[in-house]
Amino acid sequence: MSAKIVVSWSPDDFGRTAIEHAVSEARLRSASLVVVNATRGDSLVDDHYARGSQVEDLRRVLTETAVPFEIRQSMGSDIADQVLDVAEEVAATLIVVAVHRRSPVGKLIMGSVAQRVILGADCPVIAVKP
């Protein structure tokens, strides 16, 4: 069984940082990538959910790295659950997520996808920030 790294990606600086780190880890571990771009179903207003040209740009960047990859887009009630479900499905050996600074009030009101992935994962998780 080959190693698989799941990376939570969005078409912004956080996603770019996560991809760069995931590619580095994939090269070190001779692993493939499974890129997850998820939304809660409000994709028409969710800037974190990639449009067609953004996915094609990512596909071009990843192809140039020569690291095997697949890109998955999904829609569900909870983004962290979508990432964790993919990680479980592919028996991920590592998950890479990007994190950003938030106020204590922001954490209380909105929760944290990265925090839920870190706490819910059955494999190691690397949190990176731009």
Side-chain angles (χ1 to χ4, degrees), residues 20 31 36 44 46 68 78 112:
E20 289 170 356
V36 178
L44 294 178
D46 184 356
D78 187 287
S112 167

Side-chain angles (χ1 to χ4, degrees), residues 7 9 19 33-37 50 54-63 68-74:
V7 54
W9 174 76
I19 288 294
L33 298 179
V34 180
V35 179
V36 178
N37 177 233
Q54 294 167 320
V55 172
E56 288 311 311
D57 287 346
L58 175 63
R59 188 176 312 280
R60 180 184 45 76
V61 167
L62 290 175
T63 299
F69 69 92
E70 67 177 283
I71 300 171
R72 297 185 183 192
Q73 289 192 283
S74 60

Side-chain angles (χ1 to χ4, degrees), residues 59-99:
R59 188 176 312 280
R60 180 184 45 76
V61 167
L62 290 175
T63 299
E64 291 173 0
T65 69
V67 171
F69 69 92
E70 67 177 283
I71 300 171
R72 297 185 183 192
Q73 289 192 283
S74 60
M75 193 174 295
S77 61
D78 187 287
I79 293 172
D81 285 345
Q82 293 174 66
V83 173
L84 291 170
D85 287 348
V86 170
E88 182 179 338
E89 176 191 331
V90 302
T93 53
L94 179 70
I95 299 173
V96 177
V97 296
V99 296

Side-chain angles (χ1 to χ4, degrees), residues 40-58:
R40 283 185 285 272
D42 46 1
S43 64
L44 294 178
V45 295
D46 184 356
D47 291 338
H48 297 102
Y49 194 68
R51 308 304 186 257
S53 63
Q54 294 167 320
V55 172
E56 288 311 311
D57 287 346
L58 175 63

